[in-house]
């Protein structure tokens, strides 16, 4: 499953730009902060192409990637880029809001894995957040809680 996640969710290579700040992980070059899932029993691990990744048995993987100084393009295309070249079923794309900012959520299945990926941006950077779990694992709502915990531009 991890190799599929690396390809589906975060193709490319990224160096970690996050450092721990209390109960959050803050990206050094962007004004993004994400919750620390290790407090909920998740373990942090390295995942190619991700700046930050967490794994928990029975709940899957949550991975975060931030890219800055990018060429402007619609969020919908940025979200679809995460899925290029992957055989998938029922891919859906919907606009939504995360922390008061426009975002795009892409959901689908690939090779027995359910993936939800959200793309959101601030003035200078784009953040991709993805949750992948085996389709026979229950959806515990962890991804929505994680998204609710995202912070933009706070504490700089």
């Amino acid at each position: 499953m991890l190799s599929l996640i690396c390809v589906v969710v975060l193709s490319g290579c990224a160096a970690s730009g996050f450092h721990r700040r209390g109960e959050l992980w803050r990206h050094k070059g962007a004004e993004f902060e994400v919750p620390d899932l290790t407090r909920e029993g998740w373990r942090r691990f390295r995942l190619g192409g991700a700046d930050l990744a967490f794994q928990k048995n029975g709940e899957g993987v949550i991975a975060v990637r931030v890219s800055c100084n990018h060429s402007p393009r619609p969020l919908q295309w940025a979200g679809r880029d995460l899925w290029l070249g992957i055989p998938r079923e029922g891919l859906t794309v919907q606009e939504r809001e995360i922390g008061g900012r426009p975002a795009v959520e892409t959901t689908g299945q690939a090779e027995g894995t359910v993936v939800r990926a959200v793309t959101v941006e601030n003035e200078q950077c784009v953040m991709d957040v993805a949750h992948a779990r085996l389709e026979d694992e229950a959806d515990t709502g962890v991804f929505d809680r994680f998204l609710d915990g995202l912070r933009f531009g706070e504490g700089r």
Side-chain angles (χ1 to χ4, degrees):
M1 179 173 84
L2 291 180
S3 62
L4 176 66
I5 293 165
C6 187
V7 174
V8 170
V9 178
L10 302 163
S11 59
C13 194
S16 178
F18 283 91
H19 64 279
R20 190 188 306 252
R21 182 176 172 197
E23 295 184 12
L24 298 170
W25 286 91
R26 180 166 180 72
H27 190 274
K28 297 174 192 173
E31 295 185 24
F32 292 126
E33 292 179 333
V34 301
D36 182 6
L37 290 177
T38 60
R39 299 182 187 282
E40 296 180 28
W42 291 67
R43 72 174 179 88
R44 187 167 174 239
F45 74 105
R46 291 179 188 245
L47 178 64
D51 290 312
L52 189 64
F54 301 95
Q55 187 273 332
K56 185 175 183 182
N57 288 340
E59 294 197 57
V61 171
I62 291 182
V64 181
R65 175 182 67 180
V66 175
S67 59
C68 299
N69 303 319
H70 56 281
S71 302
R73 63 183 173 160
L75 279 178
Q76 189 172 37
W77 289 108
R80 285 180 188 227
D81 283 352
L82 298 173
W83 290 83
L84 288 177
I86 305 300
R88 60 199 175 256
E89 305 165 24
L91 186 64
T92 61
V93 178
Q94 66 180 8
E95 293 181 12
R96 62 177 292 179
E97 191 174 285
I98 303 290
R101 297 185 177 273
V104 171
E105 180 172 341
T106 307
T107 305
Q109 292 184 334
E111 299 177 15
T113 303
V114 177
V115 180
R116 287 178 62 196
V118 171
T119 303
V120 62
E121 66 184 342
N122 63 14
E123 291 71 25
Q124 67 269 14
C125 300
V126 173
M127 177 169 52
D128 299 312
V129 183
H131 179 224
R133 62 179 173 78
L134 296 175
E135 61 186 342
D136 62 351
E137 294 175 335
D139 183 357
T140 63
V142 68
F143 190 59
D144 290 315
R145 290 190 308 275
F146 187 83
L147 294 173
D148 288 344
L150 297 179
R151 303 288 177 256
F152 304 93
E154 297 177 6
R156 188 149 213 199

